[in-house]
Amino acid sequence: MHAYRTHTCNQLRAEHKGETVRISGWVHRKRDHGGLLFVDLRDHYGLTQVVINTDNPLFAQFEKLKLENVISVTGEVVLRTPETQNAKLPTGQVEVRLKAYELLSAPVTDMLPLQVNTDEPYGEEVRLKYRFLDLRREVIHRNIVLRSDVVYSMRRRMVEQGFREFQTPILTASSPEGARDFLVPARLHPGKFYALPQAPQQFKQLLMMSGFDRYFQIAPCFRDEDARADRTPGEFYQLDVEMSFVTQDDVFAVMEQVIGGVFEEFSNFTGTKFSVSKPPFVRIPYDESMLKYGNDKPDLRNPLVIVDVTSVFGRDDVEFKAFKGVIAKGGVVRAIRAPKVSDRPRSFFDKLNSWAQGEGAPGLGYVVFEGKQGVEAGSVREAAINAMEAHGVKVDHVKQAERKWLDAKGPIAKFIPAEALQALIELCGVQAGDAVFFACDMVDKAALLAGKARTKIAEEMDIIEKDCFKFCWVVDYPMFEINDKTGKVDFSHNPFSMPQGGLKALETQDPLKIKATQYDCVANGLELCSGGIRNHMPEAMEKAFEIAGYPKGAVQEKFGGMYNAFKLGAPPHGGCAFGIDRIIMMLAKEPNIREVIAFPMNQQAEDLMMSAPSTAEPHQLRDVHIKIDLPKAAVKEQVKAAG
RNA sequence: GCGGGUGUAGCUCAGUUGGUUAGAGCGCUUCCCUGUCACGGAAGAGGCCGAGGGUUCAAGUCCCUUCACUCGCGCCA
C-alpha cells in the first residue's frame, strides 16, 4: 500500500465498498458524539468522512487530534445507511472506518489565527500573514485553481493559433516612458542599475525583428506604482502577444478567439452562466466612445448613450443662460435619455442632482417628457391612420409629427421653447415618459461627467444587464495629446504605435488630429488589454518623437537596440497584452485582485508573510556600492524600532 | 503625498444619549452524548477596547495627535 494514499479525499464511492484504503489530508472538522467520532478529512480534491467509535482502541488518542493536523488514515470503505448519506458531498455515500492512522505533520498545538473550515470574511492582515492557511479555504483555493486553468487555457489557445512562448529578461534597462521602475543595483557596475521590465515591449518587438513571427508570453510585469483594489502593487501578469505582417484586424481575430474562448470556457465558474460576446467584438472609435459613453472604456451592459445637444442650447430662442454662457466659451452640452422615468418620484431626480453636485457639477439639469405618444387610442385620427396604413400608405411621418404633443416639465423646461424641444426630441429619440439629463461644461469635463451620470442613472434605474461579459475594441486612439502640466504636445499612449497615415501624416497633419493604430479591449467597462500596430519605420519614429518634443537623436539614445533593428530589416508587426489578473477577477467575480493571487502584497507593497521588503545587511550594501540616505521620518522610525 | 472608512477576546463582530461588573458566535480547556455532517448539551479560560494626550465626577463611547489595515484620489507610456 502506498505510504500516504491509495485514493484522494474526493474519490471514494459506493463501488469501493469493502476495500481497505488509505487517504491523507487535513483534519477539516470533527463531530464528537462521545462514543462515536466523525472526522472530515480534507485534501485538495475534497472531503471524506472518517468514522471511529469506542470499540476501537485508538479512539481516545484519535479523539484528541486538533483541526488542521495532517494525517493519513487507513481503513475500510463502508457504505452509509441511506438515512445517513450526505447528498452534499461527492463522497457522501460512504465513509472510511478507521483501522490505523498516522500523524504526518508536526502536531498542531497553536491556536489557529484563522479558521479554515468557514467562509467567514477575515481581515486581510491576518489572511496575508498566514496566507498558506487562507489558501486552504475553499473559495480562494478554487480561485487559484481557476487561475492555473485559465493560464493553461491561454497557453493552449495561443499555441493552437500558431504562437510560441518566449522568455525575456527580467533584469533589463530602465525604460524612459511610463511608470516608475524597480531598480536593481549592478554589483559589477558601481553606480549603475538594472530595471525590472514594466512589460517586455521592446523584447517582443525585437523577437519579431528576429523573425519569429508569432510571440506570446505569460509575462511578469513590474511597475512601482501604488495599489488599487484591482491593481497589485509591484507586479502583475500579462498575456503578452506580438505578431508579424499583420493588420489590426488580424490581431483582433486571433485575440477574439483566444480571449473569447477563455471567457466562454470559464463563464460558469461561479455557478451562474455568463453570456460572452461572440466574435467579432464591436469596434468603437475613441472619439465616439468619449462622446457616447463619456470614457474610453465603455460598459456596454449599460443601454444608455450620451448625445451631443449643444446645437439645441445654442439656438437663439433658447434662453437658458447657465448653458449658453458655457457654450459661448466653447463648451458643450451632453444629454442622456432615461427611458420611462416620468412616473418616478421627485426624489429620483433630486438624488441624481445632489449626486452631480457631489461630483463637482452645479447640478444635473433635466427635462421630463409627458403626454401622449403618437396618436390617441380610439380616436378618429387613429382610425384614419390605421385605414391609410392598411391600404399601404406610409404613415411614419404622421406618427412622427405626433411627438410634438409631448409636454416638457422639470426645472429647466421653461427655458426651452417648443421648436427647440422638438429638436431635442429628435436628437435624443425621446418618447413619452422619458427624461433627458444634461451635463454642460468644456468638452473633456462634460464627457467625464456625462459618462459618470450615464452609469449613475442606469444604476438608479437598475437597467444594467446582468450575467454577461460584453466586449468591445476601442480603436483609433489619438497619437498625441496636450500634456496638462506642461501645455505641450506629448504621446497620448504608446510611443511605439504606428501613426495612421505613417510618416506622411506626421509631416503634414495637425499632430492632435493624428490617430494612432492603437486599441484597447474592454469588457464590462474594464480595460483588459492595450495594444497597437507598431511603428517599425525609423524615420516615422524619429518624427513622432520630434513632435512629442524630444531632441534629435532621442530614439537612438533611448531605444538603441530597437533603432538599429528598425534599420536592419524590421517587419511590420503589432500585438497587445491582456491583464491576466483582471481577467481572472472577472471570471471569479471577485472585486479584489488579491483574491486571485496566491501570494499578493498588501496595499503598502509589503509581503506580510515573507516580511518583504526588509533591510539589507551592511555587506550586501557594500557589495552593490549603496549607501542608505533615509528621509528624516524613516530615520526616526528605524531608531524607534531598534529600541 | 492627500481624502474616506475601520481598529473591542486567537478570529468575525455587537456595545444605545458618556454611567457602575465590556458581550455574542466560532475557536480553545474540562465534562456529557453511538449516526453526525456548520452535530447537540453543560461549565470554564481568554480583554492595555490600536497607541499617546485631552475634556469630564465618569470615556470602548466625545475631542486632538499618531499608528496599522482598507477603499479612493494623485500615480499607472
Side-chain angles (χ1 to χ4, degrees):
Chain A
M1 187 174 272
H2 188 273
Y4 299 123
R5 63 185 175 197
T6 58
H7 298 78
T8 72
C9 290
N10 196 30
Q11 270 186 322
L12 297 175
R13 299 289 184 273
E15 73 209 52
H16 297 98
K17 178 180 65 160
E19 284 180 35
T20 295
V21 299
R22 181 170 290 163
I23 53 179
S24 284
W26 287 261
V27 176
H28 184 65
R29 193 171 273 135
K30 288 162 66 182
R31 289 176 294 281
D32 193 343
H33 293 244
L36 176 73
L37 168 66
F38 299 102
V39 165
D40 289 335
L41 198 64
R42 181 194 74 238
D43 66 9
H44 168 78
Y45 305 95
L47 289 174
T48 299
Q49 175 166 286
V50 175
V51 63
I52 181 173
N53 65 28
T54 39
D55 299 344
N56 191 320
L58 295 172
F59 185 89
Q61 193 184 347
F62 191 69
E63 192 186 25
K64 290 203 176 70
L65 276 178
K66 301 219 189 310
L67 298 186
E68 297 307 310
N69 271 297
V70 179
I71 59 173
S72 72
V73 168
T74 312
E76 185 190 347
V77 180
V78 179
L79 199 60
R80 300 200 208 176
T81 59
E83 69 276 12
T84 64
Q85 292 188 358
N86 185 349
K88 286 187 233 159
L89 278 185
T91 61
Q93 284 188 299
V94 298
E95 60 197 3
V96 173
R97 188 163 293 165
L98 184 136
K99 284 181 185 156
Y101 80 96
E102 188 182 352
L103 182 62
L104 300 176
S105 66
V108 176
T109 51
D110 292 349
M111 188 90 81
L112 294 173
L114 59 85
Q115 282 163 249
V116 175
N117 61 17
T118 72
D119 49 12
E120 214 175 328
Y122 282 87
E124 293 242 57
E125 205 172 350
V126 176
R127 293 183 57 200
L128 293 180
K129 183 164 180 191
Y130 298 96
R131 190 58 158 182
F132 47 88
L133 274 181
D134 189 33
L135 287 167
R136 289 181 202 164
R137 300 166 76 214
E138 187 178 356
V139 172
I140 190 165
H141 198 88
R142 268 166 46 84
N143 285 352
I144 301 304
V145 170
L146 170 69
R147 186 186 180 103
S148 169
D149 292 349
V150 166
V151 168
Y152 172 70
S153 176
M154 285 175 173
R155 285 204 159 98
R156 177 171 57 78
R157 290 167 195 277
M158 292 306 294
V159 169
E160 280 169 3
Q161 297 269 354
F163 289 78
R164 282 199 163 76
E165 184 164 10
F166 295 75
Q167 280 80 50
T168 51
I170 300 298
L171 292 175
T172 180
S174 176
S175 61
E177 302 288 322
R180 202 177 289 114
D181 284 314
F182 281 102
L183 294 177
V184 180
R187 178 179 55 86
L188 297 176
H189 301 275
K192 290 185 177 177
F193 295 85
Y194 303 98
L196 307 184
Q198 297 188 21
Q201 180 68 30
Q202 294 186 62
F203 289 113
K204 71 173 176 178
Q205 291 193 237
L206 286 159
L207 283 166
M208 293 304 98
M209 299 176 212
S210 311
F212 288 107
D213 202 63
R214 291 192 156 200
Y215 149 98
F216 86 96
Q217 181 177 195
I218 306 296
C221 303
F222 304 91
R223 296 178 192 176
D224 188 1
E225 295 297 336
D226 289 345
R228 291 288 181 276
D230 63 350
R231 198 172 77 199
T232 50
E235 54 190 78
F236 61 98
Y237 280 80
Q238 290 187 331
L239 172 58
D240 195 37
V241 177
E242 199 74 7
M243 316 158 68
S244 289
F245 306 109
V246 290
T247 63
Q248 177 172 287
D249 286 345
D250 297 317
V251 177
F252 288 1
V254 165
M255 296 320 292
E256 282 168 356
Q257 286 302 316
V258 173
I259 296 300
V262 166
F263 269 79
E264 192 64 53
E265 183 178 349
F266 298 101
S267 63
N268 200 22
F269 175 75
T270 56
T272 304
K273 171 76 183 166
F274 272 47
S275 67
V276 182
S277 301
K278 297 276 176 290
F281 299 161
V282 180
R283 295 169 197 193
I284 303 170
Y286 173 85
D287 290 342
E288 182 186 327
S289 182
M290 293 307 288
L291 173 63
K292 285 170 73 175
Y293 308 102
N295 56 48
D296 66 348
K297 30 184 194 284
D299 187 346
L300 299 181
R301 295 172 303 173
N302 180 345
L304 303 181
V305 290
I306 301 163
V307 177
D308 187 281
V309 294
T310 312
S311 62
V312 172
F313 286 89
R315 291 165 59 112
D316 291 339
D317 58 350
V318 174
E319 293 166 21
F320 192 47
K321 291 204 181 83
F323 285 8
K324 291 210 105 149
V326 177
I327 294 170
K329 283 186 218 149
V332 297
V333 185
R334 296 286 158 83
I336 303 164
R337 179 178 74 94
K340 304 283 169 282
V341 292
S342 63
D343 57 345
R344 299 262 175 165
R346 178 63 188 261
S347 61
F348 172 79
F349 298 94
D350 288 347
K351 193 174 171 187
L352 288 166
N353 193 57
S354 53
W355 165 83
Q357 286 168 347
E359 293 291 321
L364 196 64
Y366 63 90
V367 175
V368 180
F369 293 90
E370 289 174 335
K372 294 185 193 73
Q373 177 74 36
V375 189
E376 195 177 348
S379 67
V380 178
R381 270 182 83 82
E382 187 194 44
I385 290 170
N386 285 347
M388 285 160 73
E389 203 164 18
H391 285 86
V393 181
K394 287 205 190 294
V395 292
D396 286 354
H397 64 289
V398 180
K399 288 182 177 172
Q400 189 79 17
E402 302 299 328
R403 285 187 178 176
K404 276 187 199 166
W405 296 5
L406 295 176
D407 297 324
K409 291 184 177 159
I412 65 172
K414 60 175 176 284
F415 300 107
I416 314 171
E419 274 189 42
L421 275 175
Q422 188 57 33
L424 192 61
I425 288 169
E426 303 287 336
L427 275 173
C428 302
V430 173
Q431 297 182 6
D434 295 355
V436 176
F437 292 87
F438 302 103
C440 177
D441 208 323
M442 302 312 281
V443 176
D444 290 356
K445 281 189 171 176
L448 185 70
L449 177 65
K452 287 181 176 173
R454 170 178 175 266
T455 305
K456 184 69 185 172
I457 294 166
E459 281 170 359
E460 290 297 323
M461 294 176 69
D462 194 23
I463 52 169
I464 295 173
E465 247 185 279
K466 294 180 177 71
D467 304 340
C468 59
F469 295 118
K470 292 220 158 176
F471 282 84
C472 63
W473 295 100
V474 176
V475 300
D476 302 337
Y477 273 79
M479 185 78 200
F480 302 100
E481 66 186 6
I482 296 291
N483 184 316
D484 291 341
K485 286 171 201 152
T486 63
K488 289 180 180 162
V489 172
D490 204 350
F491 288 114
S492 73
H493 280 81
N494 188 329
F496 298 111
S497 291
M498 179 71 94
Q500 294 184 20
L503 180 61
K504 199 174 166 196
L506 294 174
E507 283 171 337
T508 59
Q509 289 182 26
D510 173 2
L512 296 176
K513 297 245 163 73
I514 298 172
K515 302 298 180 195
T517 319
Q518 162 92 33
Y519 39 80
D520 277 8
C521 183
V522 175
N524 293 3
L526 282 175
E527 179 195 320
L528 287 188
C529 141
S530 197
I533 299 299
R534 318 300 175 187
N535 187 347
H536 67 290
M537 304 299 257
E539 263 185 280
M541 196 81 167
E542 283 172 314
K543 183 69 189 170
F545 273 77
E546 186 190 318
I547 290 171
Y550 289 86
K552 213 168 167 58
V555 179
Q556 289 102 305
E557 190 190 316
K558 289 172 187 294
F559 312 108
M562 288 254 279
Y563 186 77
N564 287 338
F566 284 154
K567 292 201 296 186
L568 296 171
H573 62 284
C576 62
F578 276 82
I580 290 176
D581 309 85
R582 277 194 194 165
I583 287 175
I584 295 162
M585 273 175 84
M586 286 190 82
L587 291 169
K589 282 107 197 170
E590 289 286 1
N592 191 305
I593 200 161
R594 291 187 290 275
E595 300 302 324
V596 298
I597 298 172
F599 300 107
M601 297 199 282
N602 68 5
Q603 179 148 33
Q604 276 67 243
E606 297 163 311
D607 183 332
L608 298 174
M609 189 177 57
M610 304 297 284
S611 300
S614 56
T615 53
E617 296 296 327
H619 74 267
Q620 291 177 301
L621 293 174
R622 270 198 304 276
D623 275 354
V624 293
H625 324 289
I626 296 274
K627 261 190 192 140
I628 302 292
D629 179 16
L630 292 172
K632 276 180 188 154
V635 174
K636 249 188 255 167
E637 191 71 19
Q638 288 214 341
V639 169
K640 217 188 330 173

